[in-house]
Amino acid sequence: MENPKIRCCSSSPESSLVPETPTQCATIDTISLNIMRAAIHTKPGSPLEIVDDVEIDEPGIGEVLVRVSHCGICHSDQTVRDLLPGPLVLGHEAAGVIEKTGAGVTHLEIGDQVMLSPLAGCGHCTACARNAITECSEALTFMTNLRADGSTPLHRAGLDVGRGLGVGGFAELTVVPASGAVRIEPDVALGVVCVIGCAIQTGVGSVFNTAQVHPGASVLVMGLGGIGQAVVQGARIAGATTLIVSDPAEGRREAATGFGATHVVDPTADDLLEVVADVTAGQGVDYAFEAAGVAALVQDALLATRVGGTTVLVGVPEPDKTVQLGNVAMFVTAQKRLVGSLLGGCRPDRDIPLLIDMWRSGLLDLESMISHRVPLVDIEDGFDRLAAADGIRTVVEISPR
């Protein structure tokens, strides 16, 4: 819908999302040319509000306007809901169709199907030059819910609205950097492959890019939400022959066996470290993945790995949580490695097509990752299922094709 509204870019001083600068009051921009429906996070503890009056800017230089088709619900969305004030449009595991392209965008056209990635590299820094997109300072601004320059393309009722975790996918439209939109073939089902955007990139990527799991390896996965199940699939594809999984939810443990787990542990009833010792003849696993985002599990992961083993932190605990590493001398002499993995160390334009090829060939099961589907108006049902560990992934159908 056309909206010829003109507003001063400092007309919302009460908004804490965009800091005011001395030049703002003198700057007048024609903005907010589209009005759309979105799920708005207003404050911690409150349900998302479905509204029809969110204004979204035209794409700027190097940006694209995307009509969102589907968006998965990730635990990171809930973490932001719990910790940060609004207003924000969350959702970062999204796919859709290009509506408009900004100046300088040459690799995408109107009508292209795209997968959106929460980390969009600048393309010219030293990190991007060595394909380390997740280390690019511009890509890391996804954590601020703003563009790299501190602005946002979303507005409502005179306030700026943050674009949650770099995408803002719980809405009919979003504006994102073109480097974070990866073209996919028109015959690819967006409602299936949307889970690649976060869960699959993070989980499978942590296996191949971060840990570099070798064939015949023994692997432990702690936490079997969407990311943990993706780690399981990645480990199976990499050739791991011993795959131990742990999660208190029985349904998730059962699902993991379908994805390749060879041994399952109920941590509420079994001693995880004893099971690992029994399965590995006392040696410990080659690789342990903490995918639950629970800081207290990190020490167990370290203890579960063999001499020279690797522990990969994939889940993200709350910011105030800390980890005790135990006896540092033993940690050194055992030559163990502890490494973090953000979005699986993926370069979206390289890894998303590879992951789609894995799915097409039957190596990667995306359909079984999606346990529920809801329309945007019922998005709270999806978050309720997330809190109850009911299923693996809920996909929100926004503008399904």
Side-chain angles (χ1 to χ4, degrees), residues 251-316:
R252 289 181 169 180
R253 296 195 302 270
E254 291 178 355
T257 62
F259 291 132
T262 59
H263 302 77
V264 297
V265 178
D266 177 358
T268 66
D270 305 316
D271 187 311
L272 174 63
L273 296 179
E274 285 186 4
V275 173
V276 170
D278 288 343
V279 171
T280 64
Q283 297 299 303
V285 294
D286 298 312
Y287 305 92
F289 293 81
E290 198 295 302
V294 177
L297 294 178
V298 176
Q299 190 170 37
D300 283 346
L302 287 167
L303 291 172
T305 55
R306 63 166 171 79
V307 172
T310 298
T311 294
V312 184
L313 306 186
V314 187
V316 182

Side-chain angles (χ1 to χ4, degrees), residues 223-380:
L224 297 171
I227 289 172
Q229 302 285 7
V231 174
V232 173
Q233 292 210 57
R236 184 200 75 240
I237 295 168
T241 53
T242 300
L243 224 176
I244 307 167
V245 299
S246 173
D247 194 284
E250 181 180 1
R252 289 181 169 180
R253 296 195 302 270
E254 291 178 355
T257 62
F259 291 132
T262 59
H263 302 77
V264 297
V265 178
D266 177 358
T268 66
D270 305 316
D271 187 311
L272 174 63
L273 296 179
E274 285 186 4
V275 173
V276 170
D278 288 343
V279 171
T280 64
Q283 297 299 303
V285 294
D286 298 312
Y287 305 92
F289 293 81
E290 198 295 302
V294 177
L297 294 178
V298 176
Q299 190 170 37
D300 283 346
L302 287 167
L303 291 172
T305 55
R306 63 166 171 79
V307 172
T310 298
T311 294
V312 184
L313 306 186
V314 187
V316 182
E318 295 180 0
D320 62 339
K321 301 301 183 184
T322 58
V323 174
Q324 296 294 326
L325 295 181
N327 187 302
V328 177
M330 288 297 296
F331 188 78
V332 173
T333 56
Q335 303 171 72
K336 296 191 179 187
R337 295 193 302 156
L338 175 63
V339 60
S341 182
L342 178 62
L343 199 69
C346 283
R347 172 176 166 169
D349 62 343
R350 176 195 65 196
D351 293 333
I352 287 176
L354 290 174
L355 292 165
I356 290 177
D357 285 346
M358 288 183 185
W359 167 66
R360 285 188 184 273
S361 69
L363 283 174
L364 189 58
D365 181 358
L366 300 182
E367 288 85 352
S368 299
M369 294 282 292
I370 302 169
S371 48
H372 301 90
R373 296 179 181 274
V374 296
L376 185 62
V377 293
D378 293 330
I379 192 171
E380 281 298 318

Side-chain angles (χ1 to χ4, degrees), residues 109-126:
E109 298 179 352
I110 294 173
D112 283 348
Q113 288 199 151
V114 289
M115 179 84 61
L116 304 184
S117 183
L119 274 77
C122 69
H124 55 259
C125 68
T126 56

Side-chain angles (χ1 to χ4, degrees), residues 161-205:
V161 176
R163 185 184 59 195
L165 295 172
V167 176
F170 295 148
E172 292 175 327
L173 298 166
T174 189
V175 168
V176 296
S179 61
V182 178
R183 182 184 179 277
I184 57 180
E185 295 301 318
D187 65 327
V188 173
L190 298 181
V192 174
V193 300
C194 62
V195 295
I196 290 177
C198 178
I200 299 297
Q201 278 197 104
T202 301
V204 177

